[in-house]
Amino acid sequence: MKLISATANPHKYKEMKQIMAGKVEILPRPSEIPEVIEDAPDLLGNACLKAQAVVKATGMPAIADDTGLEVEALNGEPGVLSARYAGPDAQSEDNIQKLLGELSNVTVDKRGAQFRTVIVVLWPDKTYVTAEGIVSGKIALSPRGNLGFGYDSIFLPSEVAGRTFGEISDSEKNKISHRSRALTEISRVLLSIS
Ligand code: IMP
C-alpha cells in the first residue's frame, strides 16, 4: 500500500517513514500543495484537514498526523494549540520558553504531561480510518539535548529514566513515542481491512 504523507514537517516525515518501514510505503507531500490552516477544535479535525488537502490535490490516499502536548498543571494545554502556543508564527524555542514560564512555580512532582498523536488515513472516496497514540511523562525544568524537534528537549518520557526525547536517538524515541504507537495501531487497522 502507498500513502501520501500530509505532513510538511521533515522531522515527522522521517519518523513516519522509519516507523512504517516494511509495512506501508509513505511518499512525501508534494511541495506545491498550499499550507493548511489548522483551525479545527481538536487533533482529529486538524489531521482530517491536512489529509483532505492532500487527497484533493493528488487523488491518492493520504496519511496525516496531528499532535498535541497536554500538560496536567495547565488543564491539558497547549493541546491542539501546541504549534502556535506562543503566537501564530511561533518557533519551537518560543513555545518551549512560554511553557517553561507557565510552569515556573510548578514543582517536579506536578509537571505531568503527555503527547497525544491522532493519525488519519483518508481515501479519495472519503472513507477513512483513524488511530491514537499517547506517551506519558513530565516537563523538564529546562531544555536538555538537541536531538528530535518541537518540544522534545523538555519532555521526559516515563519509560526512559532521566532523559528527555531530545537526548535519545530516533530509534529509542520510535520504540515508545506517541507517533509510533498511533502508527502501529493504524498499521493494524490497515492490515485488518486490506
Ligand atoms: P503538529 O502536529 O505539527 O501541529 O504539531 C504540534 C506541535 O507539537 C508543534 O509545535 C510540533 O513541533 C510539536 N510536536 C509534534 N510532534 C512532536 C514530537 O514528536 N515531539 C516534540 N514535539 C512535537
Side-chain angles (χ1 to χ4, degrees), residues 44-58:
L44 176 61
N46 278 340
C48 286
L49 288 175
K50 289 186 254 191
Q52 281 158 359
V54 170
V55 169
K56 190 172 165 212
T58 65

Side-chain angles (χ1 to χ4, degrees), residues 30-80:
S31 55
E32 63 274 16
I33 299 178
E35 198 187 329
V36 173
I37 298 166
E38 299 178 31
D39 57 0
D42 53 29
L43 300 177
L44 176 61
N46 278 340
C48 286
L49 288 175
K50 289 186 254 191
Q52 281 158 359
V54 170
V55 169
K56 190 172 165 212
T58 65
M60 297 267 296
I63 182 165
D65 136 324
D66 203 51
T67 297
L69 178 59
E70 300 169 343
V71 179
E72 277 171 35
L74 302 175
N75 298 316
E77 286 184 3
V80 71

Side-chain angles (χ1 to χ4, degrees), residues 80-190:
V80 71
L81 297 177
S82 295
R84 46 206 144 107
Y85 189 41
D89 300 318
Q91 302 297 306
S92 293
E93 296 70 33
D94 307 322
N95 290 330
I96 285 173
Q97 285 316 316
K98 168 146 172 139
L99 185 54
L100 291 177
E102 296 288 334
L103 296 179
S104 58
N105 293 321
V106 179
T107 51
V108 173
D109 56 316
K110 300 224 163 51
R111 296 172 79 96
Q114 62 183 22
F115 274 116
R116 183 194 301 272
T117 286
V118 171
I119 301 280
V120 168
V121 173
L122 175 70
W123 285 267
D125 68 2
K126 295 195 170 66
T127 55
Y128 71 95
V129 291
T130 180
E132 184 177 281
I134 288 175
V135 60
S136 302
K138 284 187 176 212
I139 302 300
L141 294 170
S142 57
R144 291 209 317 258
N146 48 21
L147 302 173
F149 68 101
Y151 294 92
D152 277 346
S153 64
I154 57 165
F155 186 77
L156 290 156
S158 307
E159 285 132 289
V160 182
R163 283 184 299 158
T164 67
F165 268 163
E167 295 177 297
I168 64 175
S169 65
D170 285 353
S171 63
E172 279 178 286
K173 181 181 174 190
N174 290 344
K175 276 187 202 131
I176 57 167
S177 79
H178 44 303
R179 185 162 296 103
S180 72
R181 287 176 175 155
L183 287 167
T184 302
E185 180 55 24
I186 206 91
S187 308
R188 266 194 227 113
V189 175
L190 292 173

